[in-house]
Structures are given as structure tokens and as C-alpha cells.
Amino acid sequence: GVINLGKENTWVRELYCIEMLARVDTLCLDKTGTITDGTMKVIDVVAIKNDGKKMDFKRVMSSMLYALEDNNQTSLALKDYFGQECTYKVRKILPFSSARKMSAVTFGAGLGTFVMGAPEFIFSDLGTKLNNVITRFTSQGYRVLGVGRCAGEIKDGNLPGSVSPVALITLQDNIRREAPQTIKWFAENGVDIRIISGDRKSVV
């Protein structure tokens, strides 16, 4: 077994791992950095009708990215698309957390607070139409990021009120070249694959 694995450029550190591998019937895989190479890019921005003061959405996003100072792959993809420049004065910041799955920035000049995160977490009611749009994108494998706005400013780590949808941003993960063939091999050999991801089920 060690010799056969060695021919496939696989390093065996412990002999008993061969026996364990033969008993595997379910394999759990992390998506980001395992199936994908960890890089992302923005594919499209879908504007949503929103009543309120007109603003330059690209400048809002650029100012948000400047204020939040995040350096994860999602933020890097957004910075590449929108830039990173402090055009609007920042008053309050709500950093991203995995628990609330959102981040927010309160701007001056009457712009209010802009929220960015998973649509189902930031919008109190997606509505049938908006949910259908999101489902259409996720079914194509895209990750969907929601951007919304609410009046007032962040206080004590909380949003000032309900969030009105402003836009949806679609992003694409870059799949590793060898990933499809590897997953196919496991499937053909009776191993059930489970993908561990924070994305919607329809994405993975």
C-alpha cells in the first residue's frame, strides 16, 4: 500500500493510515483553501431599488473597505473591484464577526449606516423576488454578498434599525484544477463527500 501511494506522490507518515483509509465511507472537506485555492473575484453588482438619498455606490463601498481594514479573501476581491479610498467621513464602525455574519459603517453627511454581509442575516425580510435572485446566483455557484442601509448610526455595537437592501454583489471562488477529478474518484469508490462551508447549500 505504501509503495502504491508513493507512486502517486503521496507521503505516508504512519503505516496504520492505509488501513484507516480503507475504512473511510465519508470524507468531510473544507471548501475555502481545499476545494478552492482561496482566491476570489467580483463577478457582478446588482442594484436594488432603494428609497432615500442618492449616493455613489462605488464610493460608499470604497469608503467602507477603507474603514473596515479587513484582509480576508472576500475583502481583497472587493478592494480589487471597488478600490479602497476614504471618500465619505466615517463616524462609527461595526467590525465583521462570524456570529452576526456582517459588518457596518456609519457615515456622515446624512448617508446613515451601510451594512455588508450575508443577505439572509442583514435583511429582515428578503421577499420572494429578492430571494429568487439570490437563489439564481447561488445555484450557479456564486457567493452572494448583500449591502443595505439604515437610518441613524451604530450604537453600542448594534445597528440603528431595519436594513433596506441597496445591492447584491456576486463573487466567484477559484476551484483548484485537480479538485473535480479528486472528488469524482472518491464518489466512484463509494465515499460520501461532505462540504463544510458557511455558504448557502445551493452554492456548494
Side-chain angles (χ1 to χ4, degrees):
V2 173
I3 293 173
N4 288 334
L5 288 172
K7 291 177 181 179
E8 299 295 330
N9 295 318
T10 302
W11 180 30
V12 178
R13 297 183 62 180
E14 301 288 346
L15 286 176
Y16 72 85
C17 75
I18 298 174
E19 182 180 354
M20 291 179 62
L21 186 62
R23 296 171 182 267
V24 170
D25 58 12
T26 302
L27 181 63
C28 296
L29 299 174
D30 178 36
K31 182 175 73 73
T32 305
T34 302
I35 295 176
T36 66
D37 63 11
T39 61
M40 303 181 73
K41 66 177 179 179
V42 174
I43 298 299
D44 196 9
V45 177
V46 180
I48 301 171
K49 184 178 180 181
N50 182 63
D51 295 330
K53 184 175 180 179
K54 291 183 179 180
M55 76 293 182
D56 186 324
F57 182 69
K58 184 174 182 179
R59 289 186 176 182
V60 167
M61 287 299 302
S62 180
S63 296
M64 283 190 75
L65 296 167
Y66 179 90
L68 292 169
E69 299 181 342
D70 292 330
N71 286 307
N72 53 52
Q73 291 301 322
T74 301
S75 295
L76 292 175
L78 293 173
K79 289 173 185 177
D80 185 56
Y81 190 89
F82 294 105
Q84 185 182 16
E85 184 178 354
C86 188
T87 302
Y88 298 118
K89 183 179 179 180
V90 176
R91 295 176 61 86
K92 296 284 183 65
I93 296 173
L94 184 64
F96 176 84
S97 81
S98 55
R100 57 176 170 255
K101 297 188 183 297
M102 70 174 74
S103 55
V105 177
T106 297
F107 294 108
L111 283 175
T113 298
F114 281 81
V115 187
M116 176 171 60
E120 56 267 37
F121 280 82
I122 68 173
F123 304 138
S124 57
D125 182 16
L126 288 176
T128 303
K129 186 176 181 180
L130 187 58
N131 188 63
N132 288 342
V133 173
I134 295 171
T135 301
R136 176 163 54 86
F137 283 125
T138 56
S139 65
Q140 295 174 35
Y142 295 127
R143 182 181 175 191
V144 179
L145 191 66
V147 179
R149 179 169 57 175
C150 50
E153 65 178 48
I154 298 164
K155 185 177 181 180
D156 299 327
N158 296 308
L159 297 177
S162 59
V163 181
S164 299
V166 172
L168 296 176
I169 302 172
T170 59
L171 301 103
Q172 183 181 56
D173 282 310
N174 191 37
I175 304 295
R176 289 184 182 275
R177 180 175 55 83
E178 65 276 13
Q181 182 179 356
T182 301
I183 293 175
K184 181 182 178 182
W185 184 89
F186 279 111
E188 290 175 345
N189 284 274
V191 178
D192 188 24
I193 300 294
R194 301 287 181 177
I195 308 299
I196 301 172
S197 172
D199 291 332
R200 274 190 168 199
K201 183 179 179 179
S202 53
V203 174
V204 295

